[in-house]
Amino acid sequence: MKKIIALMAAAALTAGAVSCGKKTGSAPQKPEPKTTEASSTEAETTETTTAVTTTAKTTTTAAAVSTTSAIATQPDPLGGGAFEYNEDGAVVFEADAKTADDKTLIAAAQALFESACRTEMQFSVGCPFETDSDDYIENSLSWRFYRVTDSRISSIDDVLNEYHKVFSDSHPNEISSTYMEKDGAVYALCGNRGSDIYYSSSKVTGIKSRTDNEIVFTVENYYDGSDFGGDAYTKTDEFSVVIGSDNVWKAGIFTLPY
Protein backbone atom coordinates (compact mmCIF):
# COMPACT_ATOMS: atom_id res chain seq x y z
CA MET A 1 0.00 0.00 0.00
CA LYS A 2 2.77 2.46 0.92
CA LYS A 3 4.57 1.84 -2.32
CA ILE A 4 1.40 2.37 -4.37
CA ILE A 5 0.75 5.77 -2.80
CA ALA A 6 4.33 6.91 -3.34
CA LEU A 7 3.99 5.79 -6.95
CA MET A 8 0.77 7.79 -7.27
CA ALA A 9 2.33 11.00 -6.01
CA ALA A 10 5.50 10.57 -8.05
CA ALA A 11 3.41 9.89 -11.14
CA ALA A 12 1.57 13.15 -10.57
CA LEU A 13 4.87 15.01 -10.75
CA THR A 14 6.12 13.04 -13.74
CA ALA A 15 2.92 13.35 -15.73
CA GLY A 16 2.48 17.04 -14.94
CA ALA A 17 -0.14 19.00 -13.10
CA VAL A 18 -3.07 17.29 -11.43
CA SER A 19 -6.54 18.80 -11.36
CA CYS A 20 -7.83 19.97 -8.00
CA GLY A 21 -11.50 19.04 -8.23
CA LYS A 22 -12.82 21.65 -10.68
CA LYS A 23 -16.53 22.37 -10.40
CA THR A 24 -18.81 24.53 -12.51
CA GLY A 25 -22.00 26.44 -11.84
CA SER A 26 -23.22 28.55 -8.98
CA ALA A 27 -24.23 25.67 -6.72
CA PRO A 28 -21.68 22.87 -7.14
CA GLN A 29 -22.29 19.36 -5.95
CA LYS A 30 -19.81 16.86 -4.53
CA PRO A 31 -17.37 15.40 -7.09
CA GLU A 32 -18.54 12.19 -8.73
CA PRO A 33 -16.00 9.36 -8.57
CA LYS A 34 -14.63 8.14 -11.88
CA THR A 35 -13.51 4.58 -12.29
CA THR A 36 -11.44 3.25 -15.17
CA GLU A 37 -10.34 -0.37 -15.11
CA ALA A 38 -7.67 -1.90 -17.34
CA SER A 39 -8.78 -5.20 -18.85
CA SER A 40 -6.84 -8.42 -18.21
CA THR A 41 -6.02 -8.60 -21.92
CA GLU A 42 -4.45 -5.14 -21.81
CA ALA A 43 -2.43 -6.12 -18.76
CA GLU A 44 -1.10 -9.23 -20.52
CA THR A 45 0.02 -7.28 -23.57
CA THR A 46 1.80 -4.52 -21.67
CA GLU A 47 4.06 -6.53 -19.36
CA THR A 48 7.21 -5.04 -20.92
CA THR A 49 6.09 -1.41 -20.89
CA THR A 50 7.30 1.08 -18.32
CA ALA A 51 3.82 2.23 -17.36
CA VAL A 52 1.30 0.03 -15.64
CA THR A 53 -2.24 0.75 -14.62
CA THR A 54 -3.08 0.18 -11.02
CA THR A 55 -6.25 0.91 -9.10
CA ALA A 56 -5.87 2.94 -5.93
CA LYS A 57 -8.52 3.43 -3.29
CA THR A 58 -8.74 6.60 -1.20
CA THR A 59 -11.04 6.66 1.81
CA THR A 60 -12.31 9.89 3.36
CA THR A 61 -13.54 9.12 6.86
CA ALA A 62 -15.32 12.45 7.34
CA ALA A 63 -17.44 11.92 4.26
CA ALA A 64 -17.88 8.21 5.02
CA VAL A 65 -17.49 7.43 1.34
CA SER A 66 -14.87 5.69 -0.77
CA THR A 67 -13.88 6.56 -4.31
CA THR A 68 -11.85 4.45 -6.69
CA SER A 69 -9.85 5.77 -9.60
CA ALA A 70 -7.39 4.30 -12.05
CA ILE A 71 -3.90 5.78 -11.79
CA ALA A 72 -1.31 5.37 -14.53
CA THR A 73 2.02 5.01 -12.74
CA GLN A 74 5.63 5.20 -13.82
CA PRO A 75 8.55 3.11 -12.52
CA ASP A 76 9.27 4.23 -8.94
CA PRO A 77 11.86 7.07 -9.06
CA LEU A 78 11.92 7.34 -5.26
CA GLY A 79 13.32 3.89 -4.60
CA GLY A 80 10.47 2.74 -2.36
CA GLY A 81 7.37 3.92 -0.52
CA ALA A 82 8.51 6.82 1.65
CA PHE A 83 4.99 7.99 2.51
CA GLU A 84 1.31 7.17 2.16
CA TYR A 85 -2.16 8.51 2.90
CA ASN A 86 -3.54 7.52 6.27
CA GLU A 87 -7.21 6.55 6.58
CA ASP A 88 -8.20 10.20 7.03
CA GLY A 89 -6.48 11.55 3.91
CA ALA A 90 -3.43 13.10 5.59
CA VAL A 91 0.07 12.10 4.48
CA VAL A 92 2.27 10.05 6.81
CA PHE A 93 5.95 9.28 6.35
CA GLU A 94 7.36 5.87 7.19
CA ALA A 95 10.51 7.50 8.58
CA ASP A 96 11.48 11.01 9.65
CA ALA A 97 10.67 13.35 6.76
CA LYS A 98 13.81 15.36 7.60
CA THR A 99 15.85 12.60 6.00
CA ALA A 100 13.93 12.77 2.70
CA ASP A 101 15.30 14.59 -0.33
CA ASP A 102 13.53 17.52 -1.96
CA LYS A 103 12.03 15.38 -4.72
CA THR A 104 10.33 13.14 -2.18
CA LEU A 105 9.11 16.13 -0.15
CA ILE A 106 7.58 17.73 -3.25
CA ALA A 107 5.89 14.46 -4.21
CA ALA A 108 4.42 14.16 -0.71
CA ALA A 109 3.27 17.79 -0.82
CA GLN A 110 1.52 17.12 -4.14
CA ALA A 111 -0.31 14.18 -2.59
CA LEU A 112 -1.41 16.25 0.40
CA PHE A 113 -2.40 19.22 -1.79
CA GLU A 114 -4.74 16.99 -3.78
CA SER A 115 -6.25 15.59 -0.58
CA ALA A 116 -6.67 19.15 0.75
CA CYS A 117 -8.50 20.12 -2.45
CA ARG A 118 -10.91 17.22 -2.09
CA THR A 119 -11.51 17.92 1.59
CA GLU A 120 -12.03 21.66 1.12
CA MET A 121 -14.50 21.05 -1.71
CA GLN A 122 -16.45 18.63 0.48
CA PHE A 123 -16.61 20.88 3.53
CA SER A 124 -16.92 24.40 2.10
CA VAL A 125 -18.54 23.93 -1.31
CA GLY A 126 -20.72 20.96 -0.47
CA CYS A 127 -21.22 19.03 2.75
CA PRO A 128 -19.53 15.70 3.57
CA PHE A 129 -22.34 14.69 5.94
CA GLU A 130 -25.88 13.54 5.27
CA THR A 131 -28.46 16.31 5.60
CA ASP A 132 -32.24 16.63 5.73
CA SER A 133 -33.40 18.93 2.94
CA ASP A 134 -36.80 19.35 4.60
CA ASP A 135 -35.33 20.63 7.86
CA TYR A 136 -33.54 23.95 7.55
CA ILE A 137 -32.93 27.30 9.20
CA GLU A 138 -32.00 30.61 7.61
CA ASN A 139 -29.36 33.20 8.42
CA SER A 140 -29.77 36.98 8.25
CA LEU A 141 -29.38 36.85 4.45
CA SER A 142 -32.13 34.22 4.12
CA TRP A 143 -29.62 31.55 3.10
CA ARG A 144 -30.80 28.06 3.97
CA PHE A 145 -28.76 25.79 6.21
CA TYR A 146 -29.88 22.15 6.23
CA ARG A 147 -29.79 19.95 9.33
CA VAL A 148 -26.94 17.44 9.47
CA THR A 149 -28.30 14.00 10.32
CA ASP A 150 -24.94 12.27 10.84
CA SER A 151 -24.97 10.97 14.43
CA ARG A 152 -21.32 11.98 14.90
CA ILE A 153 -22.07 15.66 14.36
CA SER A 154 -23.84 17.62 17.10
CA SER A 155 -21.71 20.79 17.17
CA ILE A 156 -19.51 22.88 14.91
CA ASP A 157 -16.55 21.58 16.90
CA ASP A 158 -17.46 18.10 15.66
CA VAL A 159 -17.33 19.42 12.10
CA LEU A 160 -13.93 21.00 12.72
CA ASN A 161 -12.60 17.80 14.25
CA GLU A 162 -13.36 15.99 11.00
CA TYR A 163 -11.90 18.82 8.91
CA HIS A 164 -8.71 18.87 10.96
CA LYS A 165 -7.98 15.27 10.07
CA VAL A 166 -6.50 16.71 6.85
CA PHE A 167 -5.96 20.38 7.78
CA SER A 168 -3.80 21.54 10.66
CA ASP A 169 -5.58 23.53 13.38
CA SER A 170 -2.54 25.84 13.56
CA HIS A 171 -3.85 27.90 10.62
CA PRO A 172 -7.17 29.79 10.40
CA ASN A 173 -10.00 28.59 8.19
CA GLU A 174 -13.52 29.71 7.31
CA ILE A 175 -15.27 26.36 7.61
CA SER A 176 -17.36 27.39 10.59
CA SER A 177 -18.98 30.14 8.48
CA THR A 178 -20.76 27.50 6.40
CA TYR A 179 -22.32 25.77 9.41
CA MET A 180 -24.74 26.89 12.12
CA GLU A 181 -25.83 25.43 15.46
CA LYS A 182 -29.35 25.50 16.89
CA ASP A 183 -31.00 23.48 19.66
CA GLY A 184 -28.25 20.88 19.76
CA ALA A 185 -28.18 20.33 16.01
CA VAL A 186 -25.82 21.44 13.25
CA TYR A 187 -26.99 22.92 9.95
CA ALA A 188 -24.89 23.10 6.79
CA LEU A 189 -24.94 25.58 3.93
CA CYS A 190 -24.61 23.13 1.03
CA GLY A 191 -23.42 24.24 -2.42
CA ASN A 192 -23.06 27.83 -1.32
CA ARG A 193 -20.60 29.04 -3.94
CA GLY A 194 -19.44 28.40 -7.47
CA SER A 195 -15.94 27.76 -8.72
CA ASP A 196 -13.63 29.06 -11.42
CA ILE A 197 -14.72 27.32 -14.61
CA TYR A 198 -11.39 28.26 -16.23
CA TYR A 199 -9.26 26.42 -13.68
CA SER A 200 -7.44 23.43 -15.15
CA SER A 201 -4.91 21.86 -12.75
CA SER A 202 -2.25 22.44 -10.10
CA LYS A 203 1.32 21.31 -9.54
CA VAL A 204 3.62 21.67 -6.54
CA THR A 205 6.85 22.92 -8.10
CA GLY A 206 9.35 23.65 -5.36
CA ILE A 207 10.26 24.39 -1.76
CA LYS A 208 10.14 28.03 -0.68
CA SER A 209 11.09 27.79 2.99
CA ARG A 210 11.14 25.35 5.87
CA THR A 211 11.27 25.09 9.64
CA ASP A 212 11.37 22.08 11.93
CA ASN A 213 7.59 21.65 11.81
CA GLU A 214 6.45 23.34 8.58
CA ILE A 215 7.52 23.43 4.94
CA VAL A 216 6.23 26.05 2.51
CA PHE A 217 5.98 25.03 -1.15
CA THR A 218 5.21 26.91 -4.33
CA VAL A 219 2.18 25.77 -6.32
CA GLU A 220 1.47 26.57 -9.95
CA ASN A 221 -2.26 26.75 -10.72
CA TYR A 222 -3.08 26.47 -14.41
CA TYR A 223 -6.05 28.05 -16.18
CA ASP A 224 -7.18 27.40 -19.73
CA GLY A 225 -7.37 31.09 -20.59
CA SER A 226 -10.75 31.02 -22.33
CA ASP A 227 -11.76 33.94 -20.11
CA PHE A 228 -9.00 36.02 -21.75
CA GLY A 229 -9.33 35.03 -25.36
CA GLY A 230 -7.90 31.52 -25.16
CA ASP A 231 -4.35 32.09 -23.93
CA ALA A 232 -3.59 29.77 -21.03
CA TYR A 233 -2.04 31.34 -17.94
CA THR A 234 -0.61 30.39 -14.57
CA LYS A 235 -1.04 31.74 -11.04
CA THR A 236 1.60 31.03 -8.41
CA ASP A 237 0.49 30.36 -4.85
CA GLU A 238 1.85 28.99 -1.58
CA PHE A 239 1.00 25.72 0.12
CA SER A 240 2.44 24.55 3.40
CA VAL A 241 2.52 21.26 5.25
CA VAL A 242 2.54 21.13 9.03
CA ILE A 243 4.59 18.20 10.31
CA GLY A 244 3.35 16.45 13.42
CA SER A 245 5.51 14.61 15.93
CA ASP A 246 4.11 11.34 14.54
CA ASN A 247 5.43 12.13 11.02
CA VAL A 248 1.91 12.98 9.85
CA TRP A 249 1.63 15.88 7.40
CA LYS A 250 -1.45 18.10 7.42
CA ALA A 251 -2.27 21.06 5.20
CA GLY A 252 -1.43 24.51 6.58
CA ILE A 253 -1.37 27.49 4.22
CA PHE A 254 -3.86 26.61 1.51
CA THR A 255 -6.06 28.31 -1.06
CA LEU A 256 -8.53 26.31 -3.12
CA PRO A 257 -7.64 27.24 -6.73
CA TYR A 258 -11.20 27.81 -7.94
Side-chain angles (χ1 to χ4, degrees):
M1 174 63 180
K2 294 182 179 180
K3 186 170 183 179
I4 291 175
I5 297 300
L7 290 174
M8 292 165 56
L13 294 176
T14 305
V18 178
S19 178
C20 183
K22 183 174 78 171
K23 307 293 276 182
T24 59
S26 60
Q29 302 298 317
K30 285 182 262 188
E32 292 294 334
K34 296 181 180 179
T35 303
T36 305
E37 298 288 347
S39 69
S40 58
T41 302
E42 292 172 335
E44 293 172 357
T45 57
T46 58
E47 291 179 351
T48 58
T49 64
T50 58
V52 295
T53 300
T54 181
T55 300
K57 185 176 182 182
T58 300
T59 302
T60 304
T61 301
V65 295
S66 297
T67 58
T68 303
S69 59
I71 306 295
T73 65
Q74 300 292 330
D76 185 8
L78 304 179
F83 60 86
E84 65 177 355
Y85 288 120
N86 65 14
E87 63 181 4
D88 300 319
V91 165
V92 57
F93 270 76
E94 181 176 0
D96 191 343
K98 294 178 183 178
T99 64
D101 59 23
D102 287 357
K103 188 173 184 179
T104 303
L105 296 178
I106 291 171
Q110 180 74 40
L112 183 58
F113 183 83
E114 293 166 22
S115 182
C117 284
R118 291 190 295 268
T119 302
E120 187 70 21
M121 289 289 290
Q122 289 173 336
F123 277 81
S124 66
V125 176
C127 177
F129 315 111
E130 291 185 0
T131 59
D132 183 350
S133 60
D134 295 323
D135 187 352
Y136 63 87
I137 59 177
E138 296 181 346
N139 66 4
S140 60
L141 299 176
S142 298
W143 295 351
R144 292 184 177 183
F145 289 67
Y146 299 93
R147 184 171 64 85
V148 175
T149 58
D150 191 313
S151 61
R152 297 170 300 161
I153 308 301
S154 59
S155 68
I156 291 178
D157 283 344
D158 292 334
V159 174
L160 291 174
N161 286 339
E162 295 296 326
Y163 181 77
H164 286 149
K165 289 180 177 180
V166 173
F167 284 86
S168 170
D169 59 7
S170 64
H171 287 268
N173 64 74
E174 299 180 356
I175 293 302
S176 59
S177 66
T178 58
Y179 296 85
M180 294 177 65
E181 286 184 38
K182 183 178 180 181
D183 300 331
V186 177
Y187 295 78
L189 181 63
C190 305
N192 62 307
R193 68 186 183 199
S195 57
D196 193 331
I197 63 175
Y198 308 109
Y199 168 72
S200 177
S201 59
S202 296
K203 182 180 179 182
V204 177
T205 56
I207 297 173
K208 186 173 182 180
S209 64
R210 70 180 81 190
T211 63
D212 287 342
N213 61 357
E214 188 165 15
I215 306 175
V216 180
F217 297 86
T218 54
V219 179
E220 301 293 333
N221 299 315
Y222 304 103
Y223 298 82
D224 64 22
S226 55
D227 52 335
F228 294 114
D231 293 329
Y233 60 94
T234 302
K235 292 181 180 179
T236 302
D237 214 336
E238 291 184 355
F239 172 65
S240 76
V241 301
V242 178
I243 305 170
S245 59
D246 52 0
N247 290 325
V248 174
W249 282 19
K250 293 185 178 182
I253 300 169
F254 174 79
T255 302
L256 186 64
Y258 58 89

